[in-house]
Amino acid sequence: MNTPPLPVALIGCGQIGRAHAGHALRGQDVRVAAVCDPGPAAAALGAQLGVPHFADARALLDAVPVRAAIVAVPNQAHADAALACIEHRVPVLVEKPITDSVAEGERLCAAAESAGVPLLVGHQRRHSPTLRRAKQLIVGGVLGRPVSVHAMAVWLKPDAYFDVAWRREPGGGPVLINLIHDVDMLRWLVGEIVEVQAIASNAQRGFAVEDTAAIALRFANGALGTMGVTDAAVAPWNWDLAAGEAAHYPPQDIDSHYFSGTEASLTLPRLNIYRYRERRGWHEELTQERTIVHRADPYLEQLRHLRAVAEGTEAPLCPGRDGLRTLQATLAVLEAARTQAPVRLAAG
Ligand SMILES: NC(=O)c1ccc[n+]([C@@H]2O[C@H](COP(=O)([O-])OP(=O)(O)OC[C@H]3O[C@@H](n4cnc5c(N)ncnc54)[C@H](O)[C@@H]3O)[C@@H](O)[C@H]2O)c1
């Protein structure tokens, strides 16, 4: 028997908020029951969806009995909007990064924990069928002991993207906006990051914010990694283009992430596994095996999961503390680049 979709509040109706509204319409798990955004276009979105519109999150939560909320406001407004949901005992999915600072993230996590209200962070890649399969393989020991990982986040943002002032300023660059997804992905698949070294450059665009960075990582389990990010080069080597899971990115048949261990290696998103069938050693022949998983839209799956968490049948896949740790590791990249010194993080 089909159960009716869960009523949710959409707080923030900009680019990603509207995308969430579209996904809610496409899926059967949640329905947007009210929207909140002080911007001029949001009332029209409410009218289009046939739901009430509010300019303030608390006013919405006082008036409409929602069972969950999605917070898709600018980073600096995440904490306040999510705290309003927690005060109203409404499970909340906060877009990434959890907040704009570690201190605000701590405050938010503490509030959610003491109220016992689920807090989820929108690292949607964790809902990708490809990454779920990769996680099964890695956790299942197919690679043996993790040795190294190499992640690429290389693409060209169009010039018009930078017409918005904050995207040219520190905090608006590819490390905090984009690479944070790769940091979360590596933490989820390989384990906790305990040391970060980095160099960054603004030489391509000349803005105050970085356009390119090269990063070295040490994981708690002893594995090492590298990440390269730029939004100023022509290349297909990034997760979104390679995975082709989001409709607005034309998919490419390439890999962007490489994992190696003592027994085998794995490329993503193509899920190629390389290992020795018989004798081991660099002169021996490697066997390649490829798994093709069923495709699914991670944003849609994230909404199904939000419902399951709100109904108490699933635990958050990316709980607040996990999202906070991803923010810390991502901020460590900027700190390491700024100070030209390694940044060490607690093992967890
Ligand atoms: N997970 C992803 O793939 C992904 C993609 C894009 C953006 N994001 C994240 O989503 C958030 C929003 O990004 P965006 O690109 O949609 O930004 P945006 O600027 O397009 O939209 C933000 C909206 O929030 C509204 N807003 C501002 N303050 C508000 C408040 N206090 N209450 C309600 N609404 C408020 C603004 O009027 C605007 O319409 C950011 O944190 C960003 O990092 C995530």
Side-chain angles (χ1 to χ4, degrees):
M1 192 182 73
N2 284 344
T3 48
L6 198 78
V8 301
L10 179 62
I11 302 171
C13 304
Q15 187 207 321
I16 195 74
R18 285 168 183 274
H20 285 309
H23 281 103
L25 282 173
R26 246 179 316 223
Q28 280 127 39
D29 293 299
V30 304
R31 70 178 168 84
V32 174
V35 297
C36 165
D37 192 309
L45 178 67
Q48 189 190 328
L49 295 172
V51 302
H53 162 253
F54 298 81
D56 174 75
R58 285 182 172 77
L60 182 161
L61 294 160
D62 285 343
V64 184
V66 292
R67 298 274 311 279
I70 300 168
V71 168
V73 300
N75 299 350
Q76 65 276 16
H78 284 194
D80 190 53
L83 283 168
C85 299
I86 289 164
E87 283 161 21
H88 285 78
R89 309 202 58 75
V90 171
V92 55
L93 168 67
V94 186
E95 262 305 341
K96 62 81 197 161
I98 179 169
T99 45
D100 64 341
S101 73
V102 172
E104 281 290 82
E106 279 288 349
R107 191 162 76 92
L108 182 56
C109 289
E113 284 157 7
S114 75
V117 174
L119 169 64
L120 300 77
V121 185
H123 286 292
Q124 78 282 347
R125 287 189 197 172
R126 294 189 184 205
H127 298 281
S128 150
T130 302
L131 286 199
R132 288 185 166 202
R133 179 76 183 123
K135 173 109 174 148
Q136 279 174 349
L137 292 167
I138 294 171
V139 170
V142 170
L143 303 193
R145 260 192 337 277
V147 175
S148 70
V149 51
H150 307 284
M152 284 190 281
V154 180
W155 63 92
L156 185 76
K157 287 179 182 163
D159 290 345
Y161 176 92
F162 298 95
D163 290 346
V164 182
W166 66 263
R167 292 176 172 159
R168 305 191 296 266
E169 300 299 325
V175 171
L176 260 184
I177 300 295
N178 311 103
L179 192 76
I180 190 167
H181 284 297
D182 298 278
V183 171
D184 188 69
M185 184 172 158
L186 296 194
R187 287 190 55 246
W188 194 56
L189 292 176
V190 182
E192 209 52 88
I193 294 168
V194 293
E195 184 181 333
V196 178
Q197 301 185 32
I199 51 176
S201 165
N202 64 351
Q204 302 309 321
R205 297 191 186 278
F207 297 142
V209 70
E210 81 283 347
D211 52 54
T212 306
I215 299 117
L217 304 170
R218 187 187 303 278
F219 292 85
N221 59 16
L224 300 182
T226 64
M227 298 191 294
V229 62
T230 179
D231 60 16
V234 176
W237 302 304
N238 61 78
W239 176 259
D240 291 313
L241 284 176
E245 289 172 334
H248 47 290
Y249 292 106
Q252 318 282 320
D253 187 23
I254 43 124
D255 285 311
S256 53
H257 290 65
Y258 300 81
F259 301 79
S260 60
T262 51
E263 300 302 321
S265 58
L266 172 71
T267 70
L268 293 180
R270 289 194 284 194
L271 280 167
N272 279 324
I273 296 172
Y274 297 87
R275 55 184 150 193
Y276 295 114
R277 272 284 150 78
E278 293 166 7
R279 289 189 300 270
R280 293 163 58 91
W282 62 3
H283 297 300
E284 307 302 332
E285 288 167 349
L286 280 163
T287 302
Q288 178 190 337
E289 176 190 321
R290 183 169 182 183
T291 306
I292 298 171
V293 294
H294 290 289
R295 292 172 77 87
D297 185 324
Y299 292 97
L300 206 54
E301 173 60 15
Q302 185 172 245
L303 292 184
R304 184 208 61 75
H305 175 66
L306 174 62
R307 177 191 184 140
V309 171
E311 290 179 336
T313 58
E314 288 179 21
L317 189 59
C318 187
R321 290 266 165 215
D322 222 349
L324 178 56
R325 185 58 196 231
T326 290
L327 173 65
Q328 277 176 312
T330 310
L331 290 173
V333 171
L334 295 176
E335 171 77 356
R338 189 180 62 78
T339 59
Q340 283 302 284
V343 175
R344 296 201 166 77
L345 299 161

